[in-house]
């Protein structure tokens, strides 16, 4: 689960990770009032969306008067912001974060995440902050330092020194960094995070380290343990279908193809998508209806798949273990009947009561295609989907992306705010 920058900064405060003074606003009037309550020669207005690279897309603006704060906020609120980390529709800006502008001396990158290779939490740091960390990793990997933390020991002073040296910090800043790393580590464990990213972490002209940006992801499977985190969820920032799926306890991810897939079990779902690709088709989604599924869940799953206008065929691949095949078949029939389905549906059932299930489907008179096995099912679905001769190649969602930063287009600032590089 993702949260907004303003929420992440609140958590940073709770764990003594320093952030600029600021507050969130949902109207331009409120934004002006927030700025009025802050002491600064300038303010930064930041669009709150669940994506990075806002700076380059006009979602981060430095204001030099209260009227500018109001105007910038008014221009952002109610719009959709498209950045290179969103899709072409962008994400809705329903709130802005107003903070005291900082005089930046250096921009660094600091993150903490789970490293599957070392099976540890790992700090990643770079002196090349404020930029796309993926680009730094690709072009100048030597500028990135990776420091795995032993779970029994926690972050050690020598590890902080190692990162401080990479960032070129002095003695005083080194102890600030040590506190920041300790705070991040504590926050990560306390709230079951999966990733914390600060890009940029800055050194101000007067030597303070501050988290200028804040991005936190949480382990979805642990969010239920943290009501305070669960309450931070903003469904408006999520894929509408993925959010709807969550309500019904379905694991759904939108992909770009035209074959809707309904499968039970994540492994079987992956295998089904592979098979569709192998046969030259493109899955429209990943959908795991879960092990203990029932008729209603199957119906909801069908609705979800079909709400995607691009679907040309549906492939159902269910193994009836705990849940029996005839129950699944009844769910499929109820959904198909209720929705007056016109697009082809290919069903492969296997497992408990498979004969009864298949008989129900065949005798329904609804024109469902039943398949011998997964190979056959995928082949038939792909054939039926390309009935119109086109098969778009899917664009995968950036759900594996490590959020990157982005720096602002140059703005004319008073000398005190100049980005000192
Ligand atoms: P992102 O583009 O979504 O990652 O948003 P960030 O919060 O990282 O802001 C983008 C860039 O805006 C930063 O890298 C900074 O260069 C710039 N920026 C943000 N806050 C300030 C500020 O208080 N003062 C100045 N001078 N620049 C800022
Ligand atoms: Mn950033």
């Amino acid at each position: 689960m993702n949260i907004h920058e303003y929420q992440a900064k609140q958590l940073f405060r709770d764990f003594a990770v320093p952030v600029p003074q600021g507050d969130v606003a949902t109207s331009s009037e409120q934004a002006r009032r927030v700025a009025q309550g802050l002491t600064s020669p300038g303010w930064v207005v930041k669009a709150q969306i669940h994506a990075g690279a806002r700076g380059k897309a006009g979602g981060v603006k430095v204001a030099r008067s209260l009227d500018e704060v109001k105007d910038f906020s008014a221009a952002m609120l109610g719009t959709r912001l498209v950045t290179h980390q969103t899709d072409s529709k962008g994400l809705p800006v329903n709130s802005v974060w107003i903070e005291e502008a900082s005089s930046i001396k250096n921009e660094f990158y600091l993150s903490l995440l789970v490293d599957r290779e070392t099976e540890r939490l790992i700090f990643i740091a770079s002196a090349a902050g404020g930029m796309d960390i993926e680009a730094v990793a690709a072009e100048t990997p030597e500028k990135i330092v990776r420091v795995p933390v032993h779970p029994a020991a926690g972050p050690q002073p020598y590890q902080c020194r190692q990162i401080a040296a990479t960032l070129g910090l002095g003695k005083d800043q080194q102890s600030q960094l040590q506190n920041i790393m300790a705070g991040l580590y504590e926050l990560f464990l306390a709230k079951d995070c999966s990733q914390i990213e600060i890009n940029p972490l800055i050194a101000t002209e007067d030597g303070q380290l501050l988290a200028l940006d804040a991005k936190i992801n949480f382990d979805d499977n642990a969010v239920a343990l943290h009501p305070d985190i669960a309450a931070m969820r903003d469904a408006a920032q999520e894929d509408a279908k993925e959010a709807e799926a969550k309500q019904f306890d379905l694991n759904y991810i939108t992909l770009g193809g035209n074959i809707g897939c309904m499968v039970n079990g994540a492994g079987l779902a992956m295998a089904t998508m592979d098979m569709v690709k192998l046969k030259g088709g493109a899955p429209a989604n990943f959908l795991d209806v879960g092990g203990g599924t029932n008729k209603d869940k199957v119906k909801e799953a069908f609705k979800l798949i079909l709400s995607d206008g691009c679907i040309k065929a549906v492939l159902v691949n269910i193994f009836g273990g705990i849940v029996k095949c005839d129950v699944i078949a009844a769910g499929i029939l109820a959904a198909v009947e209720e929705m007056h389905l016109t697009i082809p549906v290919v069903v492969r059932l296997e497992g408990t009561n498979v004969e009864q299930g298949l008989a129900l489907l065949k005798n329904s008179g609804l024109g469902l295609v039943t398949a011998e096995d997964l190979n056959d099912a995928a082949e038939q679905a792909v054939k039926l989907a390309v009935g119109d001769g086109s098969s778009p190649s899917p664009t995968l969602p950036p759900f594996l992306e490590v959020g990157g930063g982005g720096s602002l287009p140059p703005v004319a600032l008073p000398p005190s705010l100049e980005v000192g590089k």
Side-chain angles (χ1 to χ4, degrees):
M1 189 186 101
N2 285 332
I3 57 172
H4 287 292
E5 174 194 7
Y6 79 88
Q7 296 163 321
K9 281 184 167 163
Q10 184 55 55
L11 286 168
F12 278 10
R13 271 188 206 148
D14 295 346
F15 285 82
V17 175
V19 296
Q21 289 298 318
D23 210 343
V24 68
T26 51
S27 74
S28 55
E29 265 306 326
Q30 194 190 1
R32 193 182 195 280
R33 279 198 302 276
V34 168
Q36 212 161 12
L38 300 168
T39 51
S40 177
W43 301 270
V44 186
V45 180
K46 306 182 79 175
Q48 297 299 291
I49 57 167
H50 283 191
R54 294 163 302 168
K56 280 183 186 148
V60 179
K61 297 254 189 212
V62 180
R64 278 143 302 175
S65 68
L66 292 174
D67 285 337
E68 265 191 1
V69 171
K70 191 178 165 197
D71 293 346
F72 289 151
S73 302
M76 286 179 199
L77 287 164
T79 64
R80 295 182 75 92
L81 185 63
V82 179
T83 82
H84 77 74
Q85 288 186 13
T86 69
D87 61 17
S88 59
K89 288 186 281 197
L91 289 168
V93 183
N94 297 324
S95 57
V96 287
W97 167 254
I98 312 296
E99 71 182 12
E100 294 177 355
S102 309
S103 54
I104 303 177
K105 184 141 191 273
N106 302 104
E107 297 196 21
F108 309 117
Y109 175 93
L110 180 66
S111 66
L112 180 59
L113 45 101
V114 183
D115 181 39
R116 286 165 211 289
E117 217 167 289
T118 54
E119 300 177 349
R120 288 180 183 186
L121 296 193
I122 186 169
F123 280 101
I124 296 179
S126 173
M131 314 183 13
D132 241 337
I133 197 67
E134 291 87 352
V136 180
E139 288 152 29
T140 48
E142 70 281 359
K143 288 194 178 155
I144 295 179
V145 64
R146 302 163 58 88
V147 179
V149 179
H150 192 287
Q156 295 296 298
Y158 80 90
Q159 296 181 310
C160 301
R161 286 197 295 275
Q162 192 186 342
I163 291 181
T166 308
L167 304 184
L169 303 184
K171 197 120 194 98
D172 175 50
Q173 289 178 342
Q174 197 173 298
S175 70
Q176 292 182 49
L177 180 71
Q178 194 162 329
N179 292 336
I180 289 173
M181 285 172 64
L184 293 177
Y185 192 81
E186 206 187 318
L187 164 61
F188 200 105
L189 296 184
K191 301 294 180 188
D192 286 309
C193 302
S194 55
Q195 183 178 329
I196 304 181
E197 186 185 65
I198 307 179
N199 190 21
L201 171 74
I202 60 155
T204 63
E205 292 290 351
D206 53 7
Q208 297 300 306
L209 292 187
L210 280 179
L212 216 59
D213 196 3
K215 195 173 285 174
I216 306 182
N217 296 325
F218 298 90
D219 180 345
D220 281 333
N221 293 314
V223 170
L225 300 174
H226 307 285
D228 56 333
I229 303 300
M232 290 181 181
R233 183 149 165 233
D234 181 359
Q237 299 291 322
E238 295 173 11
D239 180 295
K241 270 183 289 175
E242 289 175 20
E244 197 187 325
K246 262 184 211 149
Q247 280 183 0
F248 293 98
D249 210 16
L250 301 164
N251 288 312
Y252 181 95
I253 293 169
T254 304
L255 303 173
N258 60 8
I259 298 177
C261 300
M262 183 166 93
V263 190
N264 66 336
L268 194 58
M270 296 298 278
T272 305
M273 287 163 46
D274 280 351
M275 197 59 105
V276 167
K277 292 285 287 182
L278 190 70
K279 299 293 176 188
N285 65 280
F286 169 97
L287 172 58
D288 170 13
V289 293
T293 192
N294 56 39
K295 194 167 136 183
D296 286 340
K297 236 166 140 179
V298 168
K299 220 161 85 178
E300 285 310 322
F302 247 99
K303 279 190 198 157
L304 205 62
I305 291 176
L306 295 170
S307 61
D308 183 336
C310 309
I311 300 286
K312 293 281 195 297
V314 177
L315 170 54
V316 181
N317 184 21
I318 302 269
F319 180 80
I322 301 166
V323 57
K324 299 181 178 71
C325 289
D326 51 332
V327 174
I328 300 288
I332 296 170
L333 291 177
V336 170
E337 234 169 357
E338 188 178 306
M339 303 179 76
H340 308 293
L341 212 63
T342 50
I343 58 170
V345 178
V346 181
V347 186
R348 182 252 176 168
L349 290 177
E350 195 52 82
T352 315
N353 290 1
V354 63
E355 290 82 11
Q356 290 98 307
L358 287 175
L360 273 175
L361 296 176
K362 280 180 186 148
N363 300 332
S364 67
L366 291 174
L368 300 169
V369 181
T370 51
E372 296 275 311
D373 53 27
L374 177 51
N375 191 58
D376 176 38
E379 210 160 272
Q380 296 209 57
V382 171
K383 260 193 209 132
L384 289 164
V386 294
D388 69 349
S390 72
S391 159
S393 62
T395 44
L396 291 172
F399 64 94
L400 291 178
E401 211 174 272
V402 178
S407 39
L408 270 181
V411 276
L413 295 172
S416 61
L417 295 176
E418 206 76 70
V419 180
K421 277 253 167 79

